[in-house]
Amino acid sequence: MVISEEYLHRFVEETDWYNGIVLGNLLPDGAWKGLPRPLQSWVRNYVGGTILYLVSGLLWCFYIYYLKRNVYIPKDVIPSRKAMFLQIVVAMKAMPCYCALPTLSEYMVESGWTRCFSSITEVGWPAYISYLIIYLVFCEFGIYWMHRELHDIKPLYKHLHATHHIYNKQNTLSPFAGLAFHPLDGILQASPHVMALFLVPTHFMTHILLLFWEAIWTANIHDCIHAKVWPVMGAGYHTIHHTTYRHNYGHYTIWMDWMFGSLRDPEEPLISKAE
């Protein structure tokens, strides 16, 4: 299908709007408007992603460790400030690379290489919801297997994923651990979001929002609070993943782990990674 330049310009206008919301309110116009378009997108993603990561992490830590002290997390397993600071350092070192992924996806969308559409009215709500479900299932499947292979392929684990798994106890996990990955590890696990754009008709704004939702979601599943909301792959399940290293690889739900035999329920007794 040939996509007209006029239609592609809608995506350009949309990313300009995002740039204006983030950069226009935080930086002088002269500091970013003269930059090439991909660099503008990267700067916006970097600034917005950093603010989202730090603000959401700080607010959530303040709530669960101080306002609700001993309610959700026993005092003796609250991570130290030093541990949380080191997690922030790891995440901030990786953030410039993380931001390259949404920058790349925006470039491909603006170039007409993907199956993105700019407005829900183009397809209608029933089709939009159907496409969104397919998109999410694809991402759930892709992230599950990407995560599992980062464990099963030993060189990938040793050189990439082990950076994240130094946080392997409740008193070393915090919302800030959610983005504390080796840069390539974080990109690989988020890459199904971009792969889906070539296979599934996707609403562009929804794609952008889901990429940024990752920062909030990963903070949530590293807070060690088991919310018990079926079938959500919440922190209770993910804490087991950090304890056993071979269960609960899933992302938003437990379904992939259930289908492929790697599910372990938080209500079951924990086992050590050596078993």
Side-chain angles (χ1 to χ4, degrees), residues 80-93:
S80 67
R81 292 182 181 180
K82 180 180 179 180
M84 290 188 282
F85 176 75
L86 291 175
Q87 290 165 9
I88 293 172
V89 170
V90 172
M92 293 313 302
K93 286 181 178 179

Side-chain angles (χ1 to χ4, degrees), residues 18-19 21-23 26-27 40-56 92 95 99 102 179 211-213 215-216:
Y18 298 146
N19 290 343
I21 291 174
V22 178
L23 301 180
L26 296 174
L27 299 174
Q40 287 185 25
S41 294
W42 181 87
V43 172
R44 180 245 300 159
N45 291 328
Y46 180 73
V47 171
T50 298
I51 292 173
L52 183 63
Y53 169 70
L54 293 176
V55 171
S56 63
M92 293 313 302
M95 189 67 74
C99 295
L179 291 182
L211 276 179
F212 276 87
W213 170 251
I216 297 174

